[in-house]
Amino acid sequence: IELCKDLPEGHHRVKCLKMDEAKDAYTGVYQLRTDGKFYYRDYEEDNKNLKFMFVCASGGSGYGVLGYSEVGPYEISRKNVNSSSLHSFNYLAARRYNADTMYVATSGWGVRYPETKQISQIIDKVGVTPSNNVQGALTTGDWDYKRYIPDIIIFNIGGNDTKQSSFDVSEYKARVVEMVNKLHSYYPLAKMLWTHTASNAGGYAINELTKQGMMNEGYLYETVLYKVGKGKEGSGEGTYGASDHYSLKTQIDNAEIIVDKLTSLGFIPTVDPVSFDDYIFEITTK
């Protein structure tokens, strides 16, 4: 992939972002080359950026977000080819802060269920392999959590858990608490948002985190997002077509809910929000 060419001699900065949704989480950058030379990283300058971490499944990582239509007989299905992590509410919220981002995510996984896809069980590994299961992920290297220190951690996970016939609410709650405690021990200064859509999974998690006293410790906050197919009142009624996952319109509105919560915590955005109309050229509509 050629990122740029025919640049005049001088110092240039190139930003490379991977937009694939997290189902393709095992694809990464192998090598960067230039016919000039690379400058050493300016740690002091880089560390001025806020750092976000997203712990999520498909809903928070842009599954099918660029497939768009009204709900009806001609609805565009959402799939990997019209997915984009850079159009998800997580990234769109972080973009408002010109922040660095890291996804800890993959589609179809839950906190505790299904048995073969437990993100809490592999949180200390570096990634998911093409086998797309816990067994494969456990063969990867250990995650060096000190290499990236987030200021903000956003959870959007649990919906895949409650869909399983083997779902046990007590097991789920225990893993939620374990996962939050682990990340809090790694990043004690980070603010955490547990996001949900007033779902059963969200309710179970918030109730248990409250019961354990964690919601009152000043680092963890509940944030309720719009449901699939919904959005801000008056701005898109009848235009939020979706098939089991968020459309771009809903993603944009959910990003602003995140920004409003972070603003209340003292994080002031520096970049204007995106407009849905600006993305019509790349949306699949038929």
Side-chain angles (χ1 to χ4, degrees), residues 28-96:
V29 175
Y30 175 73
Q31 185 182 59
L32 290 172
R33 292 186 297 176
T34 178
D35 59 357
K37 68 175 183 178
F38 290 109
Y39 288 81
Y40 286 106
R41 175 185 172 192
D42 186 331
Y43 285 90
E44 184 176 350
E45 184 65 26
D46 285 352
N47 287 333
K48 291 179 181 178
N49 290 346
L50 281 176
K51 291 180 170 57
F52 281 62
M53 177 182 288
F54 313 127
V55 181
C56 61
S58 56
S61 54
Y63 182 76
V65 67
L66 295 179
Y68 180 86
S69 64
E70 305 305 326
V71 175
Y74 304 108
E75 183 179 9
I76 301 298
S77 62
R78 303 190 185 284
K79 46 195 174 183
N80 190 229
V81 295
N82 55 25
S83 300
S84 170
S85 62
L86 302 186
H87 295 78
S88 71
F89 70 82
N90 275 321
Y91 180 79
L92 293 176
R95 174 190 171 279
R96 294 288 311 277

Side-chain angles (χ1 to χ4, degrees), residues 115-255:
E115 290 289 340
T116 59
K117 298 178 180 180
Q118 306 176 47
I119 202 164
S120 60
Q121 192 171 338
I122 64 160
I123 201 77
D124 287 318
K125 292 297 181 178
V126 297
V128 175
T129 68
S131 65
N132 196 31
N133 56 30
V134 168
Q135 184 179 6
L138 291 177
T139 67
T140 66
D142 293 334
W143 174 34
D144 184 354
Y145 65 88
K146 297 178 182 178
R147 294 287 297 274
Y148 183 90
I149 310 297
D151 302 286
I152 297 161
I153 301 174
I154 301 177
F155 296 95
N156 185 257
I157 194 166
N160 292 318
D161 290 82
T162 54
K163 296 176 182 177
Q164 306 303 310
S165 59
S166 60
F167 178 74
D168 181 285
V169 66
S170 60
E171 289 253 349
Y172 170 75
K173 288 179 176 180
R175 286 293 186 87
V176 166
V177 170
E178 176 186 305
M179 185 170 65
V180 172
N181 272 332
K182 175 173 284 189
L183 290 180
H184 180 56
S185 72
Y186 291 164
Y187 311 116
L189 300 182
K191 298 296 184 184
M192 297 180 172
L193 305 185
W194 190 278
T195 69
H196 63 96
T197 60
S199 62
N200 288 335
Y204 296 145
I206 291 298
N207 288 342
E208 187 63 21
L209 293 167
T210 300
K211 179 181 176 181
Q212 298 298 326
M214 298 161 70
M215 300 297 296
N216 296 322
E217 293 184 11
Y219 69 88
L220 180 62
Y221 302 86
E222 178 183 19
T223 307
V224 180
L225 305 178
Y226 293 116
K227 294 179 181 295
V228 169
K230 303 296 181 181
K232 186 166 60 176
E233 184 177 356
S235 72
E237 293 161 3
T239 62
Y240 287 88
S243 56
D244 297 326
H245 287 81
Y246 291 131
S247 69
L248 178 56
K249 280 211 168 191
T250 311
Q251 295 277 13
I252 291 171
D253 286 353
N254 278 339

